[in-house]
Amino acid sequence: YYDDTFPSTKEQMVFEKNVFNKTSQTESEIAFFGGMTIVYKSSIDLFLYVVGSSHENELMLMSVLTCLFESLNHMLRKNVEKRWLLENMDGAFLVLDEIVDGGVILESDPQQVIQKVNFRADDGGLTEQSVAQVLQSAKEQIKWSLLK
């Protein structure tokens, strides 16, 4: 959540439950609910959602969703399911952080995201270099937020 549309955790959970109930039984990839545009994709036992306001471009939201799914697909070695995602949640957050920051779309090309977080199919996930890059990026973000 990047704004105060749902300020409490309880309101967020109610919204998420309603969205899931509305989308879990349909075959479409887009829904409109509560003034929100929702694009989604399911894979085995996992649903991925990208939610934007009603005036957001559906194609841009879908490009974010596709980038997220393809990046996770690569990171999880084509096992995009709940169990593998939970075991690799740190990498999933890195992927998401490369795609969207503060509600602003930064990247929609999965190859660029994969390259930035430095995942390789032949190694065990994060490399030392990618961890150092993440720490450096975090330092830069903190520095710029303090300078504002």
Side-chain angles (χ1 to χ4, degrees), residues 57-137:
N57 184 323
E58 295 89 1
L59 294 175
M60 285 304 297
L61 294 176
M62 187 56 82
S63 71
V64 170
L65 179 63
T66 301
C67 182
L68 176 63
F69 183 81
E70 293 300 321
S71 300
L72 290 175
N73 192 37
H74 179 79
M75 180 188 80
L76 299 174
R77 297 185 182 97
K78 306 206 184 303
N79 292 319
V80 183
E81 57 185 272
K82 190 187 310 185
R83 179 178 141 222
W84 294 108
L85 183 68
L86 290 173
E87 288 180 10
N88 295 283
M89 191 63 78
D90 55 343
F93 283 134
L94 286 175
V95 165
L96 189 59
D97 191 46
E98 286 298 326
I99 298 171
V100 178
D101 185 24
V104 176
I105 300 169
L106 300 176
E107 187 62 64
S108 62
D109 180 12
Q111 292 303 318
Q112 291 294 319
V113 172
I114 291 164
Q115 184 179 6
K116 286 179 183 177
V117 296
N118 205 14
F119 280 106
R120 295 199 173 84
D122 58 348
D123 64 24
L126 289 174
T127 64
E128 287 182 31
Q129 180 183 6
S130 65
V131 171
Q133 289 170 340
V134 169
L135 291 174
Q136 182 61 33
S137 175

Side-chain angles (χ1 to χ4, degrees), residues 5-24:
T5 303
F6 303 102
S8 72
T9 305
K10 183 178 179 180
E11 290 173 316
Q12 292 171 359
M13 291 181 69
V14 168
F15 174 73
E16 292 167 8
K17 182 179 178 183
N18 290 335
V19 167
F20 179 76
N21 289 337
K22 180 174 177 129
T23 59
S24 64

